[in-house]
Amino acid sequence: MSDQDFLSALAGEVSVREFSSRLLELVGVLQATLHHLSEVDRSFAGAGYGVLMEVYGLRTRAYILLNDSGNHVVNFLEFSQRDLLSLFDRISKVVRMVNSLKVASSIVVSVATFTVSLGEDRAKIVNFLFRTLYDDVAEWEASLR
């Protein structure tokens, strides 16, 4: 558990880098899931390539956050660093259970939308997108049970 856990999420460069590392882990899980889906889901041949490109975009975004963390600090968020990392751990668990390209695509787009919103003076939108992503995760978890 880091000192950042109970502080407002993404409030400093260290917490942005910590988040980017978690995002990189998620990207690896997404790529493994897409590889599996490419073997079992016939729709993958057409739409899967686009989803895979989105995952590559997430990897790029994670490295941007890692290497330019100072420009992606968000002050005054309504959730903690622990809340953020816990949510992304839940997303990783969901991704491991995904059995359709449609759900995988939904996850990738939702995560990408959240990650591109990070930056100075963006607290209002980041708070909104966090709540939305939180609700999305709950729906994905329920649908995969």
Side-chain angles (χ1 to χ4, degrees), residues 61-122:
R61 187 70 185 156
Y63 281 118
I64 289 169
L65 294 173
L66 186 65
N67 294 312
D68 189 24
S69 55
N71 285 316
H72 296 90
V73 169
V74 187
N75 292 309
F76 310 113
L77 291 175
E78 298 168 353
F79 53 94
S80 70
Q81 186 76 3
R82 173 185 249 174
D83 294 337
L84 177 61
L85 299 178
S86 175
L87 181 62
F88 273 73
D89 288 343
R90 287 174 57 204
I91 294 169
S92 288
K93 289 177 184 171
V94 166
V95 168
R96 287 179 174 90
M97 296 184 294
V98 165
N99 56 13
S100 80
L101 186 58
K102 182 178 179 180
V103 174
S105 178
S106 179
I107 292 169
V108 170
V109 170
S110 293
V111 169
T113 301
F114 178 81
T115 62
V116 299
S117 71
L118 305 179
E120 188 177 353
D121 298 325
R122 305 281 296 160

Side-chain angles (χ1 to χ4, degrees), residues 1-59:
M1 190 177 303
S2 82
D3 295 336
Q4 303 287 319
D5 282 346
F6 299 103
L7 300 176
S8 179
L10 307 167
E13 291 183 41
V14 171
S15 58
V16 173
R17 286 193 297 271
E18 183 179 36
F19 172 67
S20 68
S21 294
R22 192 65 53 95
L23 181 57
L24 283 169
E25 292 171 13
L26 175 59
V27 166
V29 174
L30 282 162
Q31 283 186 273
T33 297
L34 289 176
H35 176 74
H36 171 73
L37 288 175
S38 73
E39 296 171 345
V40 298
D41 189 335
R42 290 183 171 209
S43 69
F44 192 89
Y49 182 76
V51 177
L52 185 59
M53 292 298 103
E54 292 281 357
V55 171
Y56 292 155
L58 277 178
R59 181 179 301 281

